[in-house]
Amino acid sequence: MAEMQRPVLDMVRVHGPAARDGIATHLHPAWLRLIKYCADLGHGEIEKLKIQDGLPMVAEITTRKIKFSP
């Protein structure tokens, strides 16, 4: 069986204590887009997430929840 290729990773600065200590991590742009989507979503659910070769490909169904209480 053929080995799967590992995706090329980019260097990204992390936030918080790791950034303060100058620690960097490898994070693929697809993961960054998923993280940004989750941050923009605020509250909600991703019911089905497709992963291919270790990377997020598609969030098929998403539901947005809006909180009315503080």
Side-chain angles (χ1 to χ4, degrees):
M1 188 155 117
E3 280 190 30
M4 291 175 38
Q5 291 183 344
R6 294 190 64 113
V8 176
L9 300 174
D10 293 337
M11 290 290 282
V12 176
R13 284 275 171 215
V14 293
H15 296 284
R20 189 175 53 243
D21 297 336
I23 299 169
T25 185
H26 296 284
L27 206 54
H28 192 277
W31 283 111
L32 290 175
R33 285 191 295 273
L34 176 60
I35 292 168
K36 182 177 181 336
Y37 175 77
C38 292
D40 292 344
L41 183 61
H43 297 278
E45 297 175 4
I46 297 175
E47 293 181 26
K48 196 173 208 181
L49 178 64
K50 289 194 175 186
I51 304 289
Q52 181 178 342
D53 295 331
L55 298 173
M57 289 289 149
V58 176
E60 286 191 3
I61 302 171
T62 60
T63 303
R64 183 178 195 99
K65 292 184 181 180
I66 300 171
K67 286 189 167 186
F68 295 105
S69 61

